[in-house]
Amino acid sequence: EVQLVESGGGLVQPGGSLRLSCAASGFTFSNYWMHWVRQAPGKGLVWVSHISSDGTTTNYADSVKGRFTISRDNAKNTLYLQMNSLRAEDTGVYYCARVAMHGGNSLGYWGQGTLVTVSS
Amino acid sequence: DIVMTQSPDSLAVSLGERATINCKSSQSVLYSSNNKNYLAWYQQKPGQPPKLLIYWASTRESGVPDRFSGGGSGTDFTLTISSLQAEDVAVYYCQQYYNTPYSFGQGTKLEIK
């Protein structure tokens, strides 16, 4: 069974940093592109970033480019999101997601999410 | 960037009736070389992560009931629930994965009338 478990969220002051982790199990992690998607309280889904299966290709939403860095450790089956220079508008639940088996970059598996709150 | 716009923002349908949600992209998400539309639909219930329903605009994910269907091509897409069940109350999102950033629609809240 595919499992994705996020951790690392919490309360941080504006300008601060956090590193989110997503522990993957139940599949061959190194074979799949992975994504981060966020959701502000009571709002819709926003795609944040993705990374190729080997970690060599990354892309970001304009709103986080230059502040967030996605990475992965295939030996540890773990996805990361390093978030720097955090702003109030970065507040929300951050989900990691794995692409679907046959659906291109559609997101077939999601974690339960980790809450990031940026506030003074 | 591709902008995804859903309509309506909210929808109330009687149990057993048809529900239709629309999604429009600001540019085509049809990739001509493989004739696939890079469009997915998700369902999100309160307190839960999203669940993939449809990919390639019309292919149902494994385990998704056949009352859910997706249609459309190019820039205009629909998600149809043929006979609404109580458990279908949720927010539904479309997403394009044709180009990064892989944008979502704003969501459509589906309720029981």
PDB file of all heavy atoms in Angstrom, chain A residues 35 39 44-45 47 50 62 95 100 102-108 110-112, chain B residues 1 40 42 44 47-50 52 55-56 61 93 95 97 100-102 104:
ATOM      1  N   HIS A  35       5.579  15.587  -6.006  1.00  0.00           N
ATOM      2  CA  HIS A  35       5.091  16.965  -6.008  1.00  0.00           C
ATOM      3  C   HIS A  35       4.793  17.440  -4.593  1.00  0.00           C
ATOM      4  O   HIS A  35       4.523  16.637  -3.701  1.00  0.00           O
ATOM      5  CB  HIS A  35       3.781  17.050  -6.802  1.00  0.00           C
ATOM      6  CG  HIS A  35       3.897  16.722  -8.258  1.00  0.00           C
ATOM      7  ND1 HIS A  35       3.564  17.633  -9.238  1.00  0.00           N
ATOM      8  CD2 HIS A  35       4.292  15.600  -8.892  1.00  0.00           C
ATOM      9  CE1 HIS A  35       3.736  17.056 -10.430  1.00  0.00           C
ATOM     10  NE2 HIS A  35       4.175  15.829 -10.239  1.00  0.00           N
ATOM     11  N   GLN A  39      -2.456  24.241   0.492  1.00  0.00           N
ATOM     12  CA  GLN A  39      -3.830  24.705   0.587  1.00  0.00           C
ATOM     13  C   GLN A  39      -3.960  25.628   1.784  1.00  0.00           C
ATOM     14  O   GLN A  39      -3.843  25.181   2.930  1.00  0.00           O
ATOM     15  CB  GLN A  39      -4.775  23.509   0.723  1.00  0.00           C
ATOM     16  CG  GLN A  39      -6.241  23.851   0.668  1.00  0.00           C
ATOM     17  CD  GLN A  39      -7.105  22.621   0.523  1.00  0.00           C
ATOM     18  OE1 GLN A  39      -6.809  21.557   1.076  1.00  0.00           O
ATOM     19  NE2 GLN A  39      -8.182  22.731  -0.236  1.00  0.00           N
ATOM     20  N   GLY A  44      -8.430  27.017  -1.977  1.00  0.00           N
ATOM     21  CA  GLY A  44      -8.233  25.953  -2.943  1.00  0.00           C
ATOM     22  C   GLY A  44      -6.814  25.417  -2.963  1.00  0.00           C
ATOM     23  O   GLY A  44      -5.941  25.825  -2.181  1.00  0.00           O
ATOM     24  N   LEU A  45      -6.591  24.478  -3.874  1.00  0.00           N
ATOM     25  CA  LEU A  45      -5.294  23.820  -4.017  1.00  0.00           C
ATOM     26  C   LEU A  45      -4.368  24.660  -4.885  1.00  0.00           C
ATOM     27  O   LEU A  45      -4.797  25.222  -5.904  1.00  0.00           O
ATOM     28  CB  LEU A  45      -5.487  22.451  -4.658  1.00  0.00           C
ATOM     29  CG  LEU A  45      -6.406  21.479  -3.911  1.00  0.00           C
ATOM     30  CD1 LEU A  45      -6.693  20.258  -4.776  1.00  0.00           C
ATOM     31  CD2 LEU A  45      -5.784  21.079  -2.584  1.00  0.00           C
ATOM     32  N   TRP A  47      -0.524  24.286  -6.674  1.00  0.00           N
ATOM     33  CA  TRP A  47       0.676  23.494  -6.962  1.00  0.00           C
ATOM     34  C   TRP A  47       1.907  24.307  -6.582  1.00  0.00           C
ATOM     35  O   TRP A  47       2.004  25.507  -6.897  1.00  0.00           O
ATOM     36  CB  TRP A  47       0.697  23.122  -8.436  1.00  0.00           C
ATOM     37  CG  TRP A  47       1.859  22.301  -8.851  1.00  0.00           C
ATOM     38  CD1 TRP A  47       1.993  20.948  -8.750  1.00  0.00           C
ATOM     39  CD2 TRP A  47       3.073  22.784  -9.430  1.00  0.00           C
ATOM     40  NE1 TRP A  47       3.213  20.556  -9.233  1.00  0.00           N
ATOM     41  CE2 TRP A  47       3.896  21.653  -9.658  1.00  0.00           C
ATOM     42  CE3 TRP A  47       3.561  24.038  -9.776  1.00  0.00           C
ATOM     43  CZ2 TRP A  47       5.167  21.750 -10.221  1.00  0.00           C
ATOM     44  CZ3 TRP A  47       4.821  24.153 -10.337  1.00  0.00           C
ATOM     45  CH2 TRP A  47       5.609  23.011 -10.549  1.00  0.00           C
ATOM     46  N   HIS A  50       7.648  20.363  -8.198  1.00  0.00           N
ATOM     47  CA  HIS A  50       7.827  18.939  -8.450  1.00  0.00           C
ATOM     48  C   HIS A  50       9.280  18.629  -8.736  1.00  0.00           C
ATOM     49  O   HIS A  50      10.085  19.522  -9.024  1.00  0.00           O
ATOM     50  CB  HIS A  50       6.882  18.407  -9.522  1.00  0.00           C
ATOM     51  CG  HIS A  50       7.238  18.749 -10.940  1.00  0.00           C
ATOM     52  ND1 HIS A  50       6.610  18.159 -12.016  1.00  0.00           N
ATOM     53  CD2 HIS A  50       8.124  19.587 -11.466  1.00  0.00           C
ATOM     54  CE1 HIS A  50       7.096  18.633 -13.132  1.00  0.00           C
ATOM     55  NE2 HIS A  50       8.003  19.514 -12.838  1.00  0.00           N
ATOM     56  N   ASP A  62       5.740  30.346  -9.388  1.00  0.00           N
ATOM     57  CA  ASP A  62       6.405  31.650  -9.330  1.00  0.00           C
ATOM     58  C   ASP A  62       6.414  32.216  -7.913  1.00  0.00           C
ATOM     59  O   ASP A  62       7.372  32.888  -7.508  1.00  0.00           O
ATOM     60  CB  ASP A  62       5.711  32.641 -10.271  1.00  0.00           C
ATOM     61  CG  ASP A  62       5.989  32.346 -11.732  1.00  0.00           C
ATOM     62  OD1 ASP A  62       6.920  31.556 -12.016  1.00  0.00           O
ATOM     63  OD2 ASP A  62       5.277  32.903 -12.594  1.00  0.00           O
ATOM     64  N   TYR A  95       0.831  19.326   1.199  1.00  0.00           N
ATOM     65  CA  TYR A  95       0.690  17.915   0.853  1.00  0.00           C
ATOM     66  C   TYR A  95       1.838  17.487  -0.059  1.00  0.00           C
ATOM     67  O   TYR A  95       2.184  18.208  -1.000  1.00  0.00           O
ATOM     68  CB  TYR A  95      -0.599  17.675   0.073  1.00  0.00           C
ATOM     69  CG  TYR A  95      -1.888  17.947   0.806  1.00  0.00           C
ATOM     70  CD1 TYR A  95      -2.595  19.122   0.579  1.00  0.00           C
ATOM     71  CD2 TYR A  95      -2.426  17.019   1.683  1.00  0.00           C
ATOM     72  CE1 TYR A  95      -3.804  19.371   1.217  1.00  0.00           C
ATOM     73  CE2 TYR A  95      -3.632  17.252   2.327  1.00  0.00           C
ATOM     74  CZ  TYR A  95      -4.306  18.439   2.086  1.00  0.00           C
ATOM     75  OH  TYR A  95      -5.508  18.672   2.721  1.00  0.00           O
ATOM     76  N   ALA A 100       0.292   9.550 -10.563  1.00  0.00           N
ATOM     77  CA  ALA A 100      -0.497   8.347 -10.790  1.00  0.00           C
ATOM     78  C   ALA A 100       0.295   7.355 -11.634  1.00  0.00           C
ATOM     79  O   ALA A 100       1.230   7.723 -12.338  1.00  0.00           O
ATOM     80  CB  ALA A 100      -1.795   8.725 -11.493  1.00  0.00           C
ATOM     81  N   HIS A 102      -0.533   5.644 -14.337  1.00  0.00           N
ATOM     82  CA  HIS A 102      -0.640   5.755 -15.789  1.00  0.00           C
ATOM     83  C   HIS A 102      -1.125   7.123 -16.245  1.00  0.00           C
ATOM     84  O   HIS A 102      -1.477   7.297 -17.399  1.00  0.00           O
ATOM     85  CB  HIS A 102      -1.621   4.698 -16.320  1.00  0.00           C
ATOM     86  CG  HIS A 102      -1.242   3.296 -15.953  1.00  0.00           C
ATOM     87  ND1 HIS A 102      -0.096   2.696 -16.416  1.00  0.00           N
ATOM     88  CD2 HIS A 102      -1.839   2.402 -15.144  1.00  0.00           C
ATOM     89  CE1 HIS A 102      -0.027   1.473 -15.919  1.00  0.00           C
ATOM     90  NE2 HIS A 102      -1.061   1.268 -15.147  1.00  0.00           N
ATOM     91  N   GLY A 103      -1.121   8.081 -15.355  1.00  0.00           N
ATOM     92  CA  GLY A 103      -1.759   9.354 -15.672  1.00  0.00           C
ATOM     93  C   GLY A 103      -0.829  10.521 -15.840  1.00  0.00           C
ATOM     94  O   GLY A 103      -1.208  11.647 -15.504  1.00  0.00           O
ATOM     95  N   GLY A 104       0.362  10.313 -16.362  1.00  0.00           N
ATOM     96  CA  GLY A 104       1.289  11.417 -16.537  1.00  0.00           C
ATOM     97  C   GLY A 104       1.620  12.053 -15.207  1.00  0.00           C
ATOM     98  O   GLY A 104       1.954  11.353 -14.246  1.00  0.00           O
ATOM     99  N   ASN A 105       1.500  13.374 -15.126  1.00  0.00           N
ATOM    100  CA  ASN A 105       1.775  14.056 -13.872  1.00  0.00           C
ATOM    101  C   ASN A 105       0.517  14.355 -13.069  1.00  0.00           C
ATOM    102  O   ASN A 105       0.530  15.230 -12.197  1.00  0.00           O
ATOM    103  CB  ASN A 105       2.564  15.351 -14.127  1.00  0.00           C
ATOM    104  CG  ASN A 105       4.060  15.144 -13.998  1.00  0.00           C
ATOM    105  OD1 ASN A 105       4.524  14.630 -12.998  1.00  0.00           O
ATOM    106  ND2 ASN A 105       4.807  15.526 -15.016  1.00  0.00           N
ATOM    107  N   SER A 106      -0.570  13.623 -13.336  1.00  0.00           N
ATOM    108  CA  SER A 106      -1.718  13.718 -12.423  1.00  0.00           C
ATOM    109  C   SER A 106      -1.313  13.063 -11.108  1.00  0.00           C
ATOM    110  O   SER A 106      -0.420  12.210 -11.066  1.00  0.00           O
ATOM    111  CB  SER A 106      -2.957  13.038 -13.019  1.00  0.00           C
ATOM    112  OG  SER A 106      -2.748  11.655 -13.206  1.00  0.00           O
ATOM    113  N   LEU A 107      -1.955  13.486 -10.028  1.00  0.00           N
ATOM    114  CA  LEU A 107      -1.484  13.132  -8.688  1.00  0.00           C
ATOM    115  C   LEU A 107      -2.370  12.040  -8.092  1.00  0.00           C
ATOM    116  O   LEU A 107      -3.461  12.312  -7.602  1.00  0.00           O
ATOM    117  CB  LEU A 107      -1.457  14.389  -7.821  1.00  0.00           C
ATOM    118  CG  LEU A 107      -0.589  15.498  -8.422  1.00  0.00           C
ATOM    119  CD1 LEU A 107      -0.652  16.758  -7.570  1.00  0.00           C
ATOM    120  CD2 LEU A 107       0.851  15.020  -8.568  1.00  0.00           C
ATOM    121  N   GLY A 108      -1.850  10.821  -8.124  1.00  0.00           N
ATOM    122  CA  GLY A 108      -2.654   9.671  -7.754  1.00  0.00           C
ATOM    123  C   GLY A 108      -2.648   9.320  -6.278  1.00  0.00           C
ATOM    124  O   GLY A 108      -3.546   8.632  -5.796  1.00  0.00           O
ATOM    125  N   TRP A 110      -1.732  10.915  -2.244  1.00  0.00           N
ATOM    126  CA  TRP A 110      -1.490  12.107  -1.445  1.00  0.00           C
ATOM    127  C   TRP A 110      -1.256  11.702   0.015  1.00  0.00           C
ATOM    128  O   TRP A 110      -1.856  10.744   0.519  1.00  0.00           O
ATOM    129  CB  TRP A 110      -2.712  13.028  -1.487  1.00  0.00           C
ATOM    130  CG  TRP A 110      -3.064  13.572  -2.835  1.00  0.00           C
ATOM    131  CD1 TRP A 110      -3.515  12.870  -3.924  1.00  0.00           C
ATOM    132  CD2 TRP A 110      -3.022  14.938  -3.231  1.00  0.00           C
ATOM    133  NE1 TRP A 110      -3.747  13.726  -4.972  1.00  0.00           N
ATOM    134  CE2 TRP A 110      -3.468  15.001  -4.575  1.00  0.00           C
ATOM    135  CE3 TRP A 110      -2.673  16.135  -2.584  1.00  0.00           C
ATOM    136  CZ2 TRP A 110      -3.543  16.204  -5.284  1.00  0.00           C
ATOM    137  CZ3 TRP A 110      -2.766  17.331  -3.291  1.00  0.00           C
ATOM    138  CH2 TRP A 110      -3.194  17.351  -4.627  1.00  0.00           C
ATOM    139  N   GLY A 111      -0.408  12.471   0.687  1.00  0.00           N
ATOM    140  CA  GLY A 111      -0.303  12.336   2.122  1.00  0.00           C
ATOM    141  C   GLY A 111      -1.441  13.081   2.808  1.00  0.00           C
ATOM    142  O   GLY A 111      -2.267  13.712   2.139  1.00  0.00           O
ATOM    143  N   GLN A 112      -1.450  13.026   4.127  1.00  0.00           N
ATOM    144  CA  GLN A 112      -2.486  13.715   4.906  1.00  0.00           C
ATOM    145  C   GLN A 112      -2.176  15.188   5.103  1.00  0.00           C
ATOM    146  O   GLN A 112      -3.060  15.948   5.509  1.00  0.00           O
ATOM    147  CB  GLN A 112      -2.652  13.036   6.267  1.00  0.00           C
ATOM    148  CG  GLN A 112      -3.297  11.660   6.195  1.00  0.00           C
ATOM    149  CD  GLN A 112      -4.711  11.734   5.650  1.00  0.00           C
ATOM    150  OE1 GLN A 112      -5.525  12.551   6.069  1.00  0.00           O
ATOM    151  NE2 GLN A 112      -5.031  10.851   4.697  1.00  0.00           N
TER     152      GLN A 112
ATOM    153  N   ASP B   1       1.502  31.416 -18.008  1.00  0.00           N
ATOM    154  CA  ASP B   1       0.934  30.367 -17.179  1.00  0.00           C
ATOM    155  C   ASP B   1      -0.503  30.078 -17.622  1.00  0.00           C
ATOM    156  O   ASP B   1      -1.222  30.974 -18.045  1.00  0.00           O
ATOM    157  CB  ASP B   1       0.940  30.774 -15.697  1.00  0.00           C
ATOM    158  CG  ASP B   1       2.343  30.946 -15.139  1.00  0.00           C
ATOM    159  OD1 ASP B   1       3.318  30.739 -15.905  1.00  0.00           O
ATOM    160  OD2 ASP B   1       2.458  31.306 -13.958  1.00  0.00           O
ATOM    161  N   ALA B  40      -6.819  16.664 -15.230  1.00  0.00           N
ATOM    162  CA  ALA B  40      -7.257  15.743 -14.188  1.00  0.00           C
ATOM    163  C   ALA B  40      -8.360  16.381 -13.353  1.00  0.00           C
ATOM    164  O   ALA B  40      -8.471  17.617 -13.279  1.00  0.00           O
ATOM    165  CB  ALA B  40      -6.087  15.360 -13.284  1.00  0.00           C
ATOM    166  N   TYR B  42     -10.158  16.063  -9.373  1.00  0.00           N
ATOM    167  CA  TYR B  42      -9.974  15.578  -8.012  1.00  0.00           C
ATOM    168  C   TYR B  42     -11.216  15.880  -7.190  1.00  0.00           C
ATOM    169  O   TYR B  42     -11.909  16.871  -7.434  1.00  0.00           O
ATOM    170  CB  TYR B  42      -8.776  16.262  -7.334  1.00  0.00           C
ATOM    171  CG  TYR B  42      -7.464  16.075  -8.064  1.00  0.00           C
ATOM    172  CD1 TYR B  42      -7.091  16.939  -9.082  1.00  0.00           C
ATOM    173  CD2 TYR B  42      -6.608  15.035  -7.741  1.00  0.00           C
ATOM    174  CE1 TYR B  42      -5.896  16.765  -9.766  1.00  0.00           C
ATOM    175  CE2 TYR B  42      -5.403  14.852  -8.408  1.00  0.00           C
ATOM    176  CZ  TYR B  42      -5.069  15.730  -9.431  1.00  0.00           C
ATOM    177  OH  TYR B  42      -3.881  15.552 -10.103  1.00  0.00           O
ATOM    178  N   GLN B  44     -12.280  16.447  -3.105  1.00  0.00           N
ATOM    179  CA  GLN B  44     -11.758  16.652  -1.760  1.00  0.00           C
ATOM    180  C   GLN B  44     -12.905  16.792  -0.769  1.00  0.00           C
ATOM    181  O   GLN B  44     -13.725  17.700  -0.896  1.00  0.00           O
ATOM    182  CB  GLN B  44     -10.846  17.873  -1.670  1.00  0.00           C
ATOM    183  CG  GLN B  44     -10.151  17.989  -0.313  1.00  0.00           C
ATOM    184  CD  GLN B  44      -9.217  19.165  -0.209  1.00  0.00           C
ATOM    185  OE1 GLN B  44      -9.429  20.206  -0.823  1.00  0.00           O
ATOM    186  NE2 GLN B  44      -8.147  19.017   0.578  1.00  0.00           N
ATOM    187  N   GLY B  47     -11.464  17.851   5.612  1.00  0.00           N
ATOM    188  CA  GLY B  47     -10.468  17.223   6.465  1.00  0.00           C
ATOM    189  C   GLY B  47      -9.664  16.129   5.806  1.00  0.00           C
ATOM    190  O   GLY B  47      -8.878  15.454   6.487  1.00  0.00           O
ATOM    191  N   GLN B  48      -9.830  15.947   4.513  1.00  0.00           N
ATOM    192  CA  GLN B  48      -9.116  14.893   3.799  1.00  0.00           C
ATOM    193  C   GLN B  48      -8.265  15.476   2.677  1.00  0.00           C
ATOM    194  O   GLN B  48      -8.563  16.568   2.182  1.00  0.00           O
ATOM    195  CB  GLN B  48     -10.113  13.890   3.201  1.00  0.00           C
ATOM    196  CG  GLN B  48     -10.920  13.129   4.222  1.00  0.00           C
ATOM    197  CD  GLN B  48     -11.806  12.086   3.559  1.00  0.00           C
ATOM    198  OE1 GLN B  48     -11.596  11.679   2.412  1.00  0.00           O
ATOM    199  NE2 GLN B  48     -12.810  11.610   4.295  1.00  0.00           N
ATOM    200  N   PRO B  49      -7.229  14.747   2.266  1.00  0.00           N
ATOM    201  CA  PRO B  49      -6.497  15.184   1.070  1.00  0.00           C
ATOM    202  C   PRO B  49      -7.339  14.937  -0.171  1.00  0.00           C
ATOM    203  O   PRO B  49      -8.318  14.179  -0.138  1.00  0.00           O
ATOM    204  CB  PRO B  49      -5.254  14.275   1.077  1.00  0.00           C
ATOM    205  CG  PRO B  49      -5.682  13.054   1.805  1.00  0.00           C
ATOM    206  CD  PRO B  49      -6.679  13.499   2.836  1.00  0.00           C
ATOM    207  N   PRO B  50      -6.970  15.566  -1.258  1.00  0.00           N
ATOM    208  CA  PRO B  50      -7.685  15.310  -2.519  1.00  0.00           C
ATOM    209  C   PRO B  50      -7.527  13.863  -2.971  1.00  0.00           C
ATOM    210  O   PRO B  50      -6.558  13.184  -2.622  1.00  0.00           O
ATOM    211  CB  PRO B  50      -7.025  16.276  -3.505  1.00  0.00           C
ATOM    212  CG  PRO B  50      -6.402  17.323  -2.646  1.00  0.00           C
ATOM    213  CD  PRO B  50      -5.972  16.611  -1.398  1.00  0.00           C
ATOM    214  N   LEU B  52      -7.719  11.552  -6.585  1.00  0.00           N
ATOM    215  CA  LEU B  52      -7.773  11.585  -8.050  1.00  0.00           C
ATOM    216  C   LEU B  52      -8.976  10.793  -8.545  1.00  0.00           C
ATOM    217  O   LEU B  52      -9.155   9.622  -8.183  1.00  0.00           O
ATOM    218  CB  LEU B  52      -6.482  10.992  -8.625  1.00  0.00           C
ATOM    219  CG  LEU B  52      -6.390  10.893 -10.138  1.00  0.00           C
ATOM    220  CD1 LEU B  52      -6.389  12.273 -10.790  1.00  0.00           C
ATOM    221  CD2 LEU B  52      -5.143  10.108 -10.551  1.00  0.00           C
ATOM    222  N   TYR B  55      -8.078  11.164 -15.036  1.00  0.00           N
ATOM    223  CA  TYR B  55      -6.890  11.723 -15.665  1.00  0.00           C
ATOM    224  C   TYR B  55      -7.003  11.573 -17.169  1.00  0.00           C
ATOM    225  O   TYR B  55      -7.903  10.875 -17.664  1.00  0.00           O
ATOM    226  CB  TYR B  55      -5.611  11.079 -15.119  1.00  0.00           C
ATOM    227  CG  TYR B  55      -5.551   9.579 -15.246  1.00  0.00           C
ATOM    228  CD1 TYR B  55      -5.033   8.975 -16.377  1.00  0.00           C
ATOM    229  CD2 TYR B  55      -6.010   8.762 -14.206  1.00  0.00           C
ATOM    230  CE1 TYR B  55      -4.977   7.594 -16.488  1.00  0.00           C
ATOM    231  CE2 TYR B  55      -5.954   7.380 -14.306  1.00  0.00           C
ATOM    232  CZ  TYR B  55      -5.433   6.797 -15.447  1.00  0.00           C
ATOM    233  OH  TYR B  55      -5.380   5.431 -15.557  1.00  0.00           O
ATOM    234  N   TRP B  56      -6.100  12.235 -17.897  1.00  0.00           N
ATOM    235  CA  TRP B  56      -6.224  12.326 -19.364  1.00  0.00           C
ATOM    236  C   TRP B  56      -7.642  12.765 -19.765  1.00  0.00           C
ATOM    237  O   TRP B  56      -8.164  12.320 -20.784  1.00  0.00           O
ATOM    238  CB  TRP B  56      -5.873  11.017 -20.057  1.00  0.00           C
ATOM    239  CG  TRP B  56      -4.487  10.486 -19.835  1.00  0.00           C
ATOM    240  CD1 TRP B  56      -4.155   9.187 -19.520  1.00  0.00           C
ATOM    241  CD2 TRP B  56      -3.241  11.192 -19.883  1.00  0.00           C
ATOM    242  NE1 TRP B  56      -2.799   9.063 -19.378  1.00  0.00           N
ATOM    243  CE2 TRP B  56      -2.214  10.284 -19.596  1.00  0.00           C
ATOM    244  CE3 TRP B  56      -2.888  12.531 -20.151  1.00  0.00           C
ATOM    245  CZ2 TRP B  56      -0.866  10.642 -19.558  1.00  0.00           C
ATOM    246  CZ3 TRP B  56      -1.545  12.891 -20.107  1.00  0.00           C
ATOM    247  CH2 TRP B  56      -0.554  11.952 -19.817  1.00  0.00           C
ATOM    248  N   GLU B  61      -9.833   6.811 -12.702  1.00  0.00           N
ATOM    249  CA  GLU B  61      -8.830   6.149 -11.868  1.00  0.00           C
ATOM    250  C   GLU B  61      -9.427   4.842 -11.327  1.00  0.00           C
ATOM    251  O   GLU B  61     -10.644   4.729 -11.102  1.00  0.00           O
ATOM    252  CB  GLU B  61      -8.406   7.077 -10.734  1.00  0.00           C
ATOM    253  CG  GLU B  61      -7.463   6.492  -9.673  1.00  0.00           C
ATOM    254  CD  GLU B  61      -6.047   6.236 -10.177  1.00  0.00           C
ATOM    255  OE1 GLU B  61      -5.872   5.866 -11.356  1.00  0.00           O
ATOM    256  OE2 GLU B  61      -5.108   6.362  -9.353  1.00  0.00           O
ATOM    257  N   TYR B  93     -12.001  19.733  -7.999  1.00  0.00           N
ATOM    258  CA  TYR B  93     -11.003  20.569  -8.652  1.00  0.00           C
ATOM    259  C   TYR B  93     -10.572  19.951  -9.973  1.00  0.00           C
ATOM    260  O   TYR B  93     -10.360  18.737 -10.052  1.00  0.00           O
ATOM    261  CB  TYR B  93      -9.745  20.702  -7.783  1.00  0.00           C
ATOM    262  CG  TYR B  93      -9.938  21.389  -6.460  1.00  0.00           C
ATOM    263  CD1 TYR B  93     -10.245  20.668  -5.312  1.00  0.00           C
ATOM    264  CD2 TYR B  93      -9.796  22.772  -6.344  1.00  0.00           C
ATOM    265  CE1 TYR B  93     -10.412  21.295  -4.090  1.00  0.00           C
ATOM    266  CE2 TYR B  93      -9.962  23.411  -5.124  1.00  0.00           C
ATOM    267  CZ  TYR B  93     -10.276  22.665  -4.003  1.00  0.00           C
ATOM    268  OH  TYR B  93     -10.433  23.297  -2.801  1.00  0.00           O
ATOM    269  N   GLN B  95      -7.344  20.193 -12.784  1.00  0.00           N
ATOM    270  CA  GLN B  95      -5.930  20.571 -12.800  1.00  0.00           C
ATOM    271  C   GLN B  95      -5.359  20.248 -14.159  1.00  0.00           C
ATOM    272  O   GLN B  95      -5.620  19.172 -14.719  1.00  0.00           O
ATOM    273  CB  GLN B  95      -5.140  19.805 -11.742  1.00  0.00           C
ATOM    274  CG  GLN B  95      -3.663  20.205 -11.666  1.00  0.00           C
ATOM    275  CD  GLN B  95      -2.761  19.108 -11.141  1.00  0.00           C
ATOM    276  OE1 GLN B  95      -3.096  17.935 -11.144  1.00  0.00           O
ATOM    277  NE2 GLN B  95      -1.590  19.489 -10.659  1.00  0.00           N
ATOM    278  N   TYR B  97      -1.911  19.459 -16.233  1.00  0.00           N
ATOM    279  CA  TYR B  97      -0.522  19.058 -16.051  1.00  0.00           C
ATOM    280  C   TYR B  97       0.194  19.055 -17.409  1.00  0.00           C
ATOM    281  O   TYR B  97       1.098  18.256 -17.663  1.00  0.00           O
ATOM    282  CB  TYR B  97      -0.403  17.714 -15.321  1.00  0.00           C
ATOM    283  CG  TYR B  97      -1.261  16.578 -15.827  1.00  0.00           C
ATOM    284  CD1 TYR B  97      -0.725  15.604 -16.664  1.00  0.00           C
ATOM    285  CD2 TYR B  97      -2.591  16.448 -15.443  1.00  0.00           C
ATOM    286  CE1 TYR B  97      -1.490  14.536 -17.107  1.00  0.00           C
ATOM    287  CE2 TYR B  97      -3.366  15.386 -15.887  1.00  0.00           C
ATOM    288  CZ  TYR B  97      -2.816  14.442 -16.724  1.00  0.00           C
ATOM    289  OH  TYR B  97      -3.581  13.388 -17.167  1.00  0.00           O
ATOM    290  N   THR B 100       4.184  23.379 -16.528  1.00  0.00           N
ATOM    291  CA  THR B 100       4.350  23.957 -15.202  1.00  0.00           C
ATOM    292  C   THR B 100       4.194  25.469 -15.293  1.00  0.00           C
ATOM    293  O   THR B 100       4.571  26.071 -16.317  1.00  0.00           O
ATOM    294  CB  THR B 100       5.742  23.618 -14.613  1.00  0.00           C
ATOM    295  OG1 THR B 100       6.756  24.086 -15.506  1.00  0.00           O
ATOM    296  CG2 THR B 100       5.886  22.121 -14.401  1.00  0.00           C
ATOM    297  N   PRO B 101       3.629  26.094 -14.264  1.00  0.00           N
ATOM    298  CA  PRO B 101       3.068  25.501 -13.035  1.00  0.00           C
ATOM    299  C   PRO B 101       1.761  24.750 -13.299  1.00  0.00           C
ATOM    300  O   PRO B 101       0.915  25.230 -14.044  1.00  0.00           O
ATOM    301  CB  PRO B 101       2.837  26.727 -12.147  1.00  0.00           C
ATOM    302  CG  PRO B 101       2.602  27.849 -13.105  1.00  0.00           C
ATOM    303  CD  PRO B 101       3.488  27.567 -14.282  1.00  0.00           C
ATOM    304  N   TYR B 102       1.625  23.596 -12.686  1.00  0.00           N
ATOM    305  CA  TYR B 102       0.466  22.738 -12.915  1.00  0.00           C
ATOM    306  C   TYR B 102      -0.752  23.257 -12.160  1.00  0.00           C
ATOM    307  O   TYR B 102      -1.111  22.764 -11.118  1.00  0.00           O
ATOM    308  CB  TYR B 102       0.777  21.312 -12.486  1.00  0.00           C
ATOM    309  CG  TYR B 102       1.817  20.610 -13.331  1.00  0.00           C
ATOM    310  CD1 TYR B 102       2.671  19.666 -12.764  1.00  0.00           C
ATOM    311  CD2 TYR B 102       1.957  20.872 -14.674  1.00  0.00           C
ATOM    312  CE1 TYR B 102       3.617  19.008 -13.521  1.00  0.00           C
ATOM    313  CE2 TYR B 102       2.907  20.224 -15.451  1.00  0.00           C
ATOM    314  CZ  TYR B 102       3.737  19.296 -14.872  1.00  0.00           C
ATOM    315  OH  TYR B 102       4.678  18.654 -15.615  1.00  0.00           O
ATOM    316  N   PHE B 104      -4.432  24.528 -10.744  1.00  0.00           N
ATOM    317  CA  PHE B 104      -5.744  23.998 -10.394  1.00  0.00           C
ATOM    318  C   PHE B 104      -6.818  25.056 -10.669  1.00  0.00           C
ATOM    319  O   PHE B 104      -6.546  26.259 -10.617  1.00  0.00           O
ATOM    320  CB  PHE B 104      -5.813  23.659  -8.901  1.00  0.00           C
ATOM    321  CG  PHE B 104      -4.990  22.469  -8.488  1.00  0.00           C
ATOM    322  CD1 PHE B 104      -3.665  22.628  -8.109  1.00  0.00           C
ATOM    323  CD2 PHE B 104      -5.541  21.203  -8.441  1.00  0.00           C
ATOM    324  CE1 PHE B 104      -2.898  21.542  -7.711  1.00  0.00           C
ATOM    325  CE2 PHE B 104      -4.788  20.104  -8.040  1.00  0.00           C
ATOM    326  CZ  PHE B 104      -3.464  20.279  -7.678  1.00  0.00           C
TER     327      PHE B 104
END
